[in-house]
Amino acid sequence: MHRIIIGRHGEDTMSRGSDTNTGRRRMDQAANLLVRATEALLQASDELELLEQICLIGAEADHRLAWIGYAGPPPGRKVTVMARAGQAVDYLSDIPISWNDDEFGQGPTGIAIRSGQPFVVSDTRSEPIFAPWREKAELYGIRSSVALPVGEGEQRIGALMFYSAQPGMFDAQVVGMLMGVARNLSHGIATLRMRARHQQIAKELAESEQRYRSLVELAPDAIVVHGHGSILFANHAAIHAFGASSWAPLTGRPVLDLVHPDSRGDALERLDSPPPGHILNHYRLLRLDGTAFEAEVLACSISFRGLPARLLVVRDISERTRVQETLLQTAKLATLGEMAAGLVHELSQPLNIIRLAAEGALMLIERDKANQEFQTQQFALIAEQCERTAEIIDDIRIFSRRDTTPIQVFDAALAVRSAIEVLDGQFRPDGIAVHHELPPVPLPVRGRRVQLEQVMLNLLNNAHHALRDSKDSMPADWSGEIFVRAARRDDHVEIVITDNGPGLPESMKTHLFEPFFTTKEAGRGTGLGLSVSHGLITAMKGSLSLRDSPAGASFAISLPLDLDAAGPLPLPALSPALAQAGSGDSHILVVDDEATAAQTLARYLRELGYRVSIAGTGIEAWKLFSEDPADVVITDLRMPAGNGEQLVEKLRDYDPLLPIVIVTGHLGATERVAANLEDDRCAVLKKPVALGQLGELVTVFLQPPT
């Protein structure tokens, strides 16, 4: 209950002005004011309108003036008039009122706000604290007043004031009634403010939701929300990205329908156990028409319609991937360019042996000095050197192609060995020895073998250049050495390439894997090698790093071991006896625009007992085949009139089960044709071809199906 503060001369004045009828009338007015003020509170919808209504009700209750002031903040603590009503409203004009502890804050309003208690001035003429306002109060006929605090404690808002033309009009009972008005006003203001705040929050929430909805709908990236694997929401970009429509919507579909089989394993794992936080991954996704595209997917957990869900932001990176592949191919070709001189040397060696052996044998045959054993040795030597040449060409073919092979499990040790063999011949002329320590068992990793070979070639080339260029600055008895080691380390494969050269300056180590950074002189390095290599190894979920080494430079590759991978299956061996199973009833069509190659091949097949026809173009071959269908067709790909691919298409249309052997030396076509055509009735062989292998393959194709 509030304590009433009364001015020092208030009691006498109240006594002189009090009688039974007057007291009853004051109580009736106060009670009526409380009732009407309560009704106004219940109907109020606006704070300022409520304040004005309370002041108007106070004026109609025979008060000379009713007004409400709000307490301002420190340091000024001014009291601002918010509403007023009555005959003496002009009394408030130019009156400084505050609730500060100063001259203008010692009046009834300031005391009520500071103390939280009602303050009564029974007679303005005799109350000392009212001295600053007495003259003006007299002018407007004000003789008594009461100031009522509005709000409690730290939530005190201000004060409600009533002024009367008669002294002693505010006794304890009247003040008690009016305090009810002030308390109700306080609650009403709090309710209206809470309602206004709620409406503002609801408005801001609606605006925020609309903004975010607009952002989501207008976002260039596809945004998908799924719950327990079922799509709940997709924005316009997602509908466009996945090729959906009103008759083929995304919502309701399993999210795995949008994931390519290559990435489905990872997606299933994350569906079963969603990781915390924001996770960025690379996936191969599917549009509704079945076409695949590369994408970055940012995923996080959210609440959607009150239920747990996952939000996916999908960005199509197909174009970026194409650019990266172009960059990768550029780096590969740059490496090939640096290797060109060594490759020429590698090819010239077996070709030189072939020529020497052939011309030497011809000379001795002409002079009748070449017995059967000598001829056999020479031709075996030629065949051996041809195989060596074929291996070199095959390595170049694999490395130079644009890699579109699928991700698969391969032997990392075999890829390391292949890279060493390609470059080994280039190290020897510079007096550089390569030592390798590779395990006898496979090291299965998942990725693309040609990409690991490219990384190895780049690191070996860098070591080669560093050793060769530093030779003059090394001691006389120094010789360059490169050490390559591959081994299993727990659940990882570790490949380390170390040289005994001068090493790398500390200032360069932090920039090694940045694009276009090179330690080589102008015109010799692209600055792409280590950057591309780092990207390739990272894409295989591994790491490429520079290690501390007491001498030279040491690079380490770490790749996750594929523990679930089955070992590579050996190719079935063809029995040599099958090469003797030729039959004159079997017709073989040989197609090659190189007449010498076609005739040599035909001679070999006839010797095996087959009937052989020869054509020099695809058009001529189709004509011969139409007139006399063959049991097996052996064809080149690149020919001047009607190429081999067109011929194969016609033959497949004629007989889908017709055995076809494609022989080609074209680098790009080999992989393309192998991917598109090779099956159990079509084989692709790379030039130079081993006659024995070809003969066995023809024999297998001619065997009746089991």
Side-chain angles (χ1 to χ4, degrees), residues 261-263 265-266 406-412 443-452 491 493 536-542 558-566:
D262 291 350
S263 300
D266 288 344
I407 293 175
Q408 55 190 352
V409 177
F410 67 92
D411 182 6
L443 298 175
V445 297
R446 184 173 295 275
R448 293 184 172 95
R449 172 181 163 175
V450 68
Q451 293 184 348
L452 180 57
D491 59 349
V493 172
L536 291 176
I537 297 300
T538 302
M540 294 173 66
K541 299 182 179 178
S558 178
L559 293 171
L561 195 68
D562 197 306
L563 300 174
D564 299 327

Side-chain angles (χ1 to χ4, degrees), residues 370-377:
N371 57 31
Q372 184 63 37
E373 182 181 358
F374 172 77
Q375 292 181 39
T376 301
Q377 290 176 348

Side-chain angles (χ1 to χ4, degrees), residues 431-488:
I432 297 171
V434 179
H435 310 283
H436 59 79
E437 184 181 331
L438 304 177
V441 295
L443 298 175
V445 297
R446 184 173 295 275
R448 293 184 172 95
R449 172 181 163 175
V450 68
Q451 293 184 348
L452 180 57
E453 289 181 359
Q454 179 184 353
V455 173
M456 287 300 304
L457 286 171
N458 182 62
L459 295 175
L460 289 169
N461 260 327
N462 287 347
H464 176 205
H465 294 158
L467 296 175
R468 184 187 60 195
D469 296 346
S470 61
K471 192 172 184 179
D472 293 339
S473 61
M474 292 296 186
D477 59 347
W478 176 88
S479 60
E481 291 182 298
I482 299 174
F483 304 89
V484 181
R485 186 183 73 256
R488 175 175 175 172

Side-chain angles (χ1 to χ4, degrees), residues 606-627:
R606 288 181 182 128
E607 187 63 29
L608 294 179
Y610 300 114
R611 182 167 64 88
V612 182
S613 301
I614 298 175
T617 66
I619 294 175
E620 182 185 354
W622 177 246
K623 181 179 179 183
L624 285 175
F625 184 87
S626 301
E627 296 171 352

Side-chain angles (χ1 to χ4, degrees), residues 526-553:
T526 63
L528 295 174
L530 284 177
S531 173
V532 170
S533 297
H534 188 274
L536 291 176
I537 297 300
T538 302
M540 294 173 66
K541 299 182 179 178
S543 63
L544 170 61
S545 60
L546 177 69
R547 283 194 172 178
D548 292 333
S549 177

Side-chain angles (χ1 to χ4, degrees), residues 15 62 67 91 112 131 192 230 248 251 302 323 341 359 389 409 419 425 440 454 463 507 522 534 550 641 658:
S15 298
D62 204 24
W67 69 281
Y91 166 76
L192 288 173
S230 181
T251 52
I302 63 167
V323 172
E359 291 184 355
T389 305
V409 177
Q454 179 184 353
S507 60
H534 188 274
L658 175 69

Side-chain angles (χ1 to χ4, degrees), residues 98 102-112 114 119 121 129-130 133 147:
S98 79
D102 57 16
E103 177 187 2
F104 299 105
Q106 297 302 319
T109 304
I111 294 173
R114 282 199 308 277
F119 187 92
V121 176
I129 67 168
F130 206 78
W133 305 278

Side-chain angles (χ1 to χ4, degrees), residues 361-398:
L362 284 173
M363 182 184 70
L364 293 178
I365 290 171
E366 288 175 356
R367 297 181 181 182
D368 201 21
K369 293 182 180 181
N371 57 31
Q372 184 63 37
E373 182 181 358
F374 172 77
Q375 292 181 39
T376 301
Q377 290 176 348
Q378 295 303 102
F379 282 115
L381 177 61
I382 290 173
E384 178 187 325
Q385 295 303 311
C386 283
E387 184 177 355
R388 179 181 170 188
T389 305
E391 289 175 355
I392 297 171
I393 293 173
D394 203 36
D395 285 332
I396 298 172
R397 177 188 291 115
I398 293 173

